[in-house]
């Protein structure tokens, strides 16, 4: 952890005084997070790393959200189903080649259990909505079942249903066939198939009975139980509130040198805190910021374009075109490539370009191994018309930052690096109950 030159330890004073009068948020505390049952988290740890939840039993949650890569995968756009290996070394399986790259950058998992997180994914397609029976608004609408304990739990339903992420492609396995037929919930639906897989493994059956009294009393294991356990693990494992930044918020230290100048810019004239607000450094709203588009884009099966219009695909409102959720910035110095499509491989470059959203920059992709830009998986299109549409949608007046300004802001962002959260608290299990290989 880089403390020297960034922070200075101080006697306990008010954080505003220590930060030179900056309008900093209140520090995080236990009250900002849902409580976690350690036994439930331990069960979720096994499920998170177990490929049993993928259609072909080859991919776990950890494949694209690995602690080795700060809970991401280290590439702009990942290879899910049909890939072998981990991180930038992941490559296409010649015996089962993938059909496309995953269309968006794998988001980091820090502080996903915080109460302030009320909307997830870059387009916000799942969010808290207490007016709905399930408590959430999702693309499943009325088919969304109740029983997910949290938004974090509910989001796990998406990767296991995605053909390019975990489900696999039509006719490859029972899960992908169910998804293709639109059978998600209910008997013989995709979730039921995965739940039965898990329940048939004695160690998992015993684990669920130990954690959930209703299951011990005879209720079958449901997919919501699996999701709840995984959510408990993610919330506990990657809670991040012990970074140098947190020491400043708690009044135990102050920014120094370049980090102090960067904080002044971030919370002042650079305007970063307008959107990157609060202790998680996100307003959890949506903004068009001119991020470059690359890769296969987000399109329905009958569409042939390679665009990603962000929030517009959820709301249908033209004002939401090319708007994406403000990402929280915890451990941001470690979570590259940056942008909804991983269009920047350098944090300083991202900060510089992000400050001037109307000038859509060229992308700089970090691809999985053996996936050249000419490959059919990549399907990149960087045409002038699309860049013009992204630029036209960009919000806010551009700010030109000097190289010194950029370096200072990056120094401030480095104070958000939390070694304890990056390492994780439980770590990678040696084995999982299915006996399948664990990604290391």
């Amino acid at each position: 952890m880089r403390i020297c030159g960034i922070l200075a330890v101080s006697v306990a004073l008010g954080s505003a005084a220590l930060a030179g009068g900056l309008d900093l948020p209140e520090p995080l505390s236990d009250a900002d997070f849902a409580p976690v049952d350690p036994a439930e988290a331990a069960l979720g740890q096994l499920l998170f790393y177990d490929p049993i939840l993928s259609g072909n039993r080859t991919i776990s949650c950890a494949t694209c959200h690995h602690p080795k890569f700060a809970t991401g995968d280290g590439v702009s756009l990942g290879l899910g189903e049909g890939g072998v290996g981990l991180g930038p070394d992941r490559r296409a399986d010649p015996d089962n080649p993938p059909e496309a790259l995953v269309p968006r950058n794998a988001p980091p998992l820090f502080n996903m259990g915080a109460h302030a997180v009320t909307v997830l994914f870059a387009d916000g397609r799942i969010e808290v909505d207490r007016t709905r029976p399930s408590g959430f608004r999702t693309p499943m609408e009325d088919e969304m079942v109740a029983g997910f304990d949290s938004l974090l739990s509910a989001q796990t339903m998406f990767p296991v249903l995605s053909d390019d992420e975990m489900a696999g492609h039509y006719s490859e396995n029972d899960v992908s066939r169910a998804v293709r037929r639109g059978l998600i919930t209910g008997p013989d639906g995709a979730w039921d198939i995965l739940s039965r897989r898990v329940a048939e493994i004695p160690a998992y059956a015993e684990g669920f009975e130990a954690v959930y009294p209703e299951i011990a009393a005879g209720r079958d294991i449901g997919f919501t139980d699996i999701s709840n356990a995984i959510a408990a693990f993610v919330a506990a494992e990657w809670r991040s509130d012990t970074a140098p930044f947190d020491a400043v918020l708690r009044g135990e230290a102050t920014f120094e040198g370049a980090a102090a100048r960067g904080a002044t810019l971030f919370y002042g004239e650079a305007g970063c805190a307008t959107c990157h607000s609060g202790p998680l450094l996100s307003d959890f709203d949506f903004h068009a910021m001119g991020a470059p588009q690359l890769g296969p884009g987000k399109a329905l099966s009958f569409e042939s374009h390679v665009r990603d219009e962000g929030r517009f695909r959820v709301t249908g409102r033209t004002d939401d075109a090319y708007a994406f959720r403000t990402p929280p910035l915890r451990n941001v110095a470690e979570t590259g490539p940056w942008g909804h499509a991983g269009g920047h491989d350098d944090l300083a470059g991202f900060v510089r370009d992000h400050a001037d959203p109307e000038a859509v920059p060229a992308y700089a992709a970090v691809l999985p191994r053996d996936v050249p830009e000419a490959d059919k998986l990549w399907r990149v299109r960087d045409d002038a018309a699309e860049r013009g549409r992204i630029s036209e949608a960009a919000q806010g007046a551009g700010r030109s930052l000097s190289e010194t300004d950029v370096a200072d802001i990056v120094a401030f962002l480095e104070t958000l690096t939390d070694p304890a959260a990056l390492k994780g608290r439980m770590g990678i299990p040696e084995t999982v109950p299915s006996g399948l290989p664990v990604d290391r």
Side-chain angles (χ1 to χ4, degrees):
M1 176 168 51
R2 289 182 54 198
I3 297 290
C4 181
I6 292 180
L7 294 182
V9 177
S10 175
V11 296
L13 296 171
S15 60
L18 281 169
L22 296 177
D23 187 16
L24 297 178
E26 291 297 314
L28 291 166
S29 70
D30 289 346
D32 294 303
F33 299 88
V36 175
D37 176 357
E40 187 177 28
L43 179 60
Q45 176 203 26
L46 299 175
L47 292 161
F48 185 88
Y49 286 96
D50 198 332
I52 193 71
L53 295 179
S54 62
N56 290 327
R57 297 176 172 85
T58 57
I59 298 169
S60 71
C61 305
T63 303
C64 294
H65 298 283
H66 202 277
K68 185 176 181 180
F69 305 104
T71 71
D73 57 6
V75 293
S76 298
L77 304 172
L79 275 176
E81 173 55 42
V84 293
L86 192 63
D89 289 332
R90 191 165 174 81
R91 61 194 183 281
D93 181 354
D95 296 324
N96 180 32
E99 294 186 3
L101 294 169
V102 176
R104 288 181 180 149
N105 183 254
L109 303 182
F110 302 108
N111 289 334
M112 294 272 281
H115 296 308
V117 181
T118 57
V119 59
L120 288 174
F121 295 109
D123 56 13
R125 62 187 181 275
I126 175 170
E127 58 188 323
V128 173
D129 185 346
R130 298 306 183 197
T131 68
R132 304 194 180 226
S134 67
F136 310 104
R137 186 201 56 74
T138 80
M140 292 187 67
E141 296 294 347
D142 293 338
E143 291 185 60
M144 182 67 181
V145 301
F148 294 102
D149 284 345
S150 64
L151 186 69
L152 174 56
S153 173
Q155 67 84 33
T156 62
M157 69 179 177
F158 284 92
V160 300
L161 301 178
S162 169
D163 52 359
D164 289 322
E165 293 184 53
M166 294 181 71
H169 299 103
Y170 183 62
S171 81
E172 285 188 338
N173 59 71
D174 50 355
V175 175
S176 64
R177 286 193 292 272
V179 171
R180 181 58 69 94
R181 292 166 59 198
L183 299 177
I184 308 302
T185 63
D188 299 320
W191 289 353
D192 181 51
I193 293 168
L194 292 171
S195 299
R196 283 189 276 113
R197 280 189 191 179
V198 169
E200 289 166 359
I201 298 173
Y204 276 134
E206 295 169 5
F208 276 95
E209 289 175 2
V211 171
Y212 302 110
E214 302 91 342
I215 295 175
R219 177 172 67 76
D220 289 338
I221 296 171
F223 186 76
T224 53
D225 302 309
I226 294 169
S227 293
N228 290 338
I230 292 174
F233 166 67
V234 172
E237 183 77 344
W238 291 300
R239 173 171 162 172
S240 183
D241 58 352
T242 56
F245 176 74
D246 297 293
V248 174
L249 299 190
R250 292 191 299 267
E252 300 167 354
T254 183
F255 298 120
E256 296 291 335
R261 296 191 298 272
T264 299
L265 285 164
F266 189 94
Y267 287 98
E269 63 179 292
C272 309
T274 302
C275 301
H276 292 286
S277 55
L280 301 184
L281 293 101
S282 174
D283 60 2
F284 296 100
D285 204 348
F286 301 87
H287 307 279
M289 297 301 296
Q293 174 57 35
L294 57 154
K298 292 287 286 187
L300 298 174
S301 58
F302 59 85
E303 296 176 314
S304 60
H305 66 72
V306 291
R307 298 191 302 275
D308 188 340
E309 295 168 311
R311 184 67 170 165
F312 172 78
R313 296 192 66 81
V314 175
T315 67
R317 297 194 298 260
T318 56
D319 288 349
D320 287 332
Y322 303 103
F324 297 88
R325 189 192 72 155
T326 305
L329 298 182
R330 293 299 183 132
N331 298 293
V332 67
E334 305 295 328
T335 58
W338 296 271
H340 72 274
H344 283 78
D345 61 356
D346 172 66
L347 181 56
F350 183 81
V351 169
R352 182 187 309 107
D353 292 336
H354 198 56
D356 189 8
E358 294 185 14
V360 181
Y363 64 83
V366 180
L367 295 177
R369 203 171 99 193
D370 301 331
V371 183
E373 292 192 27
D375 194 285
K376 67 181 180 65
L377 290 172
W378 183 235
R379 290 176 55 207
V380 68
R381 186 183 69 184
D382 184 29
D383 64 49
E386 182 67 3
R387 289 167 69 85
R389 286 189 287 267
I390 294 173
S391 177
E392 185 177 355
Q395 301 168 351
R399 298 174 178 87
S400 179
L401 297 177
S402 70
E403 292 301 311
T404 299
D405 291 341
V406 170
D408 289 345
I409 290 173
V410 169
F412 162 70
L413 295 176
E414 287 173 346
T415 71
L416 299 167
T417 301
D418 184 346
L422 287 168
K423 181 180 179 182
R425 291 160 178 81
M426 300 174 67
I428 304 172
E430 290 297 322
T431 60
V432 290
S434 69
L436 294 167
V438 175
D439 281 324
R440 297 194 171 279

